[in-house]
Amino acid sequence: LYNDNVKNSFYAWTMLSDPDGNNLSLGDAGMVDPTNRVIDMFEQGYGKLKSSATANLLRTFQYRKWLNSGQKWEDIARGRTSASASYVLLNGAENIPRGIPETTKGSDNFPDYGLLIFNQGKGDKQLWLAMPYGAPMGHGMNDKLHFSWWALGQRMTKHSCGRGAGGWGHAVNHNTLIVDQKNMINTPCKLIEFKNSGPVQGAVLENTDMYPETMVRRTVVLYNGIII
């Protein structure tokens, strides 16, 4: 069951998630809090694989549960529900390393999907940002150049997605760019410049096919705890 594809899913969540361990809210996917949805899967994955990726995810989630609980670390409940707790204890990890992991993730371009992920800074100047720019995938949401970002210790953007959101595929539902109040033509954007290291990071992207006779260009810059 825990083959290479499953292992890769753990690593992908680690690479793409925000500093709280939450998944990307792109396309028609809302933000998923792993402590409520998939923590049992990560628990069992760590028990089977003992990989650093699953260990760091579990430590992040367990730390969040412990932080405001008033309980000892050893007394924090295991398993998402009481029904799953016994299964997790039998098939999961014997114990979870204590405390939030000190991990540093870099900024990356994932060209196969057309996705930029930025990670920069530490402490109160830590920043995370995700922006899609590639070819339509999945349900083909009109969210090109939408961005999700995290700063000041929390997710800063809401993503009005999902089939029940009303006009769920429309660009206006995705915190992105519209021209003359019209929906975009879902075409891939061109990455003009991408800087993924140093005190100033950012990207320049453009699209000449998104709206008739219009060139849409978005520039994003991360510097010293600020996103411009």
Side-chain angles (χ1 to χ4, degrees):
L1 175 62
Y2 288 89
N3 55 29
D4 287 342
N5 290 332
V6 174
K7 292 179 183 178
N8 288 338
S9 71
F10 293 132
Y11 285 112
W13 197 296
T14 301
M15 289 188 298
L16 302 178
S17 62
D18 70 19
D20 290 327
N22 295 314
N23 72 313
L24 297 169
S25 49
L26 301 173
D28 66 341
M31 186 179 74
V32 172
D33 181 348
T35 59
N36 293 327
R37 296 288 294 275
V38 294
I39 193 170
D40 294 350
M41 180 180 72
F42 289 119
E43 173 97 54
Q44 294 164 53
Y46 178 55
K48 299 288 185 182
L49 302 173
K50 296 295 191 293
S51 70
S52 59
T54 50
N56 288 338
L57 286 166
L58 276 176
R59 289 178 67 185
T60 300
F61 306 151
Q62 198 76 349
Y63 179 81
R64 287 169 54 189
K65 292 170 65 176
W66 167 81
L67 190 60
N68 298 311
S69 69
Q71 295 178 285
K72 294 180 179 179
W73 179 271
E74 296 77 11
D75 294 336
I76 297 297
R78 301 278 290 275
R80 180 168 63 93
T81 64
S82 58
S84 66
S86 59
Y87 183 77
V88 164
L89 289 173
L90 289 172
N91 296 278
E94 182 177 348
N95 58 67
I96 299 173
R98 181 171 182 151
I100 192 166
E102 293 292 333
T103 58
T104 302
K105 297 190 291 184
S107 300
D108 287 293
N109 173 29
F110 298 92
D112 290 344
Y113 184 89
L115 178 66
L116 301 179
I117 299 286
F118 290 97
N119 289 280
Q120 187 191 57
K122 294 182 178 180
D124 60 358
K125 293 186 177 181
Q126 185 176 6
L127 298 172
W128 172 90
L129 183 142
M131 181 186 297
Y133 69 91
M137 303 185 80
H139 292 148
M141 294 293 94
N142 293 298
D143 64 345
K144 295 296 175 289
L145 304 183
H146 154 81
F147 61 88
S148 294
W149 63 292
W150 185 103
L152 301 175
Q154 61 184 315
R155 186 72 73 97
M156 303 297 288
T157 45
K158 285 187 68 68
H159 190 229
S160 180
C161 64
R163 293 176 182 265
W168 65 290
H170 199 287
V172 76
N173 261 347
H174 295 280
N175 299 329
T176 190
L177 302 171
I178 60 172
V179 176
D180 295 333
Q181 300 181 352
K182 294 180 180 178
N183 204 359
M184 67 171 63
I185 300 170
N186 197 338
T187 61
C189 305
K190 184 178 181 180
L191 181 60
I192 305 299
E193 188 171 352
F194 175 59
K195 182 173 175 56
N196 65 340
S197 61
V200 180
Q201 298 183 26
V204 179
L205 305 100
E206 66 179 34
N207 190 315
T208 56
D209 301 314
M210 189 179 289
Y211 293 98
E213 301 179 359
T214 303
M215 184 182 76
V216 176
R217 174 177 289 176
R218 170 158 277 181
T219 301
V220 60
V221 177
L222 295 83
Y223 172 71
N224 198 33
I226 299 172
I227 294 175
I228 303 173

